[in-house]
Amino acid sequence: LSFAVFITPTNFVKINSYLSIPDSINIKMAMFLYLLMTIIILVVKREQIPIIPKRLIIAYMSFLVVMIWSLLWTPDLQYGLLKSLEFVFLTSLACFAPFFLFREEKVFNRFIMTLVVISAFLSVFVFIAKPYSFLEADIEAVKFDTVLGGNYILMQYVTGMASLGIIYHLFYKENSRIVRTIYFVLTLIFLATLMYSSGKSSIISFFLTVLFMFFMSVKRNGAVLSFKRKYFRIGFIVLLVGAVFMMSIGWVFVTRTKALSTPDYYGRVERLSNAKIALDLFLENPLRGVGIGGFNMYSIQMEDIEKFKYPHNILLEVMSELGMVGLALFLFILGSALKNLLYLKRKYWHSHFDTLPNVVISFLLFTFLMAMTSGNITNLALFALVGTAYSIENMIKKESREI
């Protein structure tokens, strides 16, 4: 539960206010301390530290060194130092915690079930709160504001992850027909919540992930192509349901997407302008970038709109602030994690363990696509899935020995 909450993309400011929690109490930091203490207790109890691949440790530490080194020339030392400290402590814990926590499949299942429970609560809450009309297709009416805050990214992230967790893992465990029916109904509710919330990129990321997983299910054996029918059915059903929802409660997505074609729409102007600034900063400083947090000093300021502190595109952020060196290390970290998952996918193709690499691949892709339009380099969920990409191998080996 604590790890699932810890990696969610929110700072809990609105929740603190609603629940009258003092500002001095930081929920994210409390989760960090709790997880750290849990890991220490597990290490002492087991008297064993799990094996972490050297390639991950070396690449991650190299990336961290580049980040800290760039503090020497960043134009915004205060913000750069804040990002670096957050990466050193919070992001690092998120990345390496799975090696200590996900030692058994049942623990990983509880992690996914926690996302499902949170998603169910948020889905019920948002439809009761009804932030805006289902039918009034007016861009000005899209004000996703509730008593718990207007973080629709959190809403869509959790519902998207919960849906992927069900359709690529939980649904294929040894469950009764009643349990499978409940999972199916929950997935429909989560997809409805995903479409109803006002974010565009989350919806696109989710359906691109489903399409990717469908094509990844195809296996080539010489001239013969084979695929698993369950993933074909999943892809078809999800796309069909998405099309139906798009014509009803998905009007927000359609309306906001159409708005992007308007030349003076602030969302288009702001993102494109900041993307150009990030690219120009990279071209001016191709090797080392402008320094961690430095983009903040160059982003545009639009009237009555909060200024971008980062480009809202994780690749542009790394390129502009850490240059080619940082980008190469970052891509190596992600690419190596995906390569390991694809290896496990091929290895356990005909095993009942095949859902584990599949669901982590879907999580990793969905989170990365989300990071291309929101979040920054301290992305807890993305790095948590990098660690999970390696930790499930130890999990599968342990489960295999016990069979």
Side-chain angles (χ1 to χ4, degrees), residues 74-85:
T74 180
D76 192 343
L77 180 59
Q78 182 177 3
Y79 180 55
L81 184 59
L82 180 64
K83 284 179 70 172
S84 298
L85 288 174

Side-chain angles (χ1 to χ4, degrees), residues 12-31:
F12 300 101
V13 172
K14 188 71 174 182
I15 296 178
N16 273 29
S17 175
Y18 178 71
L19 299 178
S20 300
I21 299 176
D23 293 338
S24 58
I25 298 178
N26 188 309
I27 297 179
K28 188 77 77 175
M29 186 57 65
M31 290 293 178

Side-chain angles (χ1 to χ4, degrees), residues 368-382:
F368 173 71
L369 291 174
M370 290 274 287
M372 294 296 288
T373 55
S374 61
N376 64 7
I377 192 58
T378 61
N379 194 308
L380 302 183
L382 183 62

Side-chain angles (χ1 to χ4, degrees), residues 122-244:
L122 292 176
S123 296
V124 172
F125 171 78
V126 73
F127 284 121
I128 292 177
K130 197 178 180 182
Y132 44 77
S133 170
F134 283 86
L135 301 175
E136 186 181 0
D138 180 7
I139 191 65
E140 297 299 327
V142 183
K143 305 292 183 183
F144 195 85
D145 189 20
T146 70
V147 293
L148 294 181
N151 192 346
Y152 58 83
I153 295 296
L154 168 64
M155 177 76 64
Q156 293 183 307
Y157 166 80
V158 175
T159 54
M161 290 275 283
S163 300
L164 294 171
I166 290 176
I167 62 180
Y168 291 114
H169 184 63
L170 295 181
F171 194 77
Y172 298 103
K173 298 291 100 179
E174 296 180 0
N175 298 313
S176 64
R177 182 172 295 181
I178 295 178
V179 174
R180 288 173 180 263
T181 301
I182 293 174
Y183 281 151
F184 180 74
V185 173
L186 284 174
T187 303
L188 292 180
I189 294 174
F190 297 163
L191 288 178
T193 306
L194 182 72
M195 297 294 293
Y196 177 59
S197 303
S198 57
K200 305 178 297 296
S201 61
S202 307
I203 297 172
I204 295 173
S205 298
F206 179 83
F207 287 103
L208 284 178
T209 299
V210 173
L211 284 174
F212 178 84
M213 293 304 296
F214 167 73
F215 289 114
M216 286 300 298
S217 69
V218 179
K219 186 176 182 180
R220 184 184 184 92
N221 187 9
V224 180
L225 296 178
S226 62
F227 62 91
K228 293 190 175 182
R229 293 181 180 180
K230 61 184 181 182
Y231 295 122
F232 176 81
R233 291 195 297 266
I234 286 173
F236 178 77
I237 293 174
V238 169
L239 291 174
L240 179 62
V241 171
V244 173

Side-chain angles (χ1 to χ4, degrees), residues 324-335:
M324 280 299 300
V325 176
L327 180 64
L329 289 169
F330 178 71
L331 292 178
F332 178 83
I333 292 172
L334 290 183

Side-chain angles (χ1 to χ4, degrees), residues 267-286:
R268 170 177 173 170
V269 174
E270 185 177 32
R271 286 189 178 271
L272 290 179
S273 298
N274 281 306
K276 184 179 184 304
I277 290 172
L279 186 58
D280 289 342
L281 290 175
F282 168 70
L283 294 176
E284 293 169 6
N285 308 271

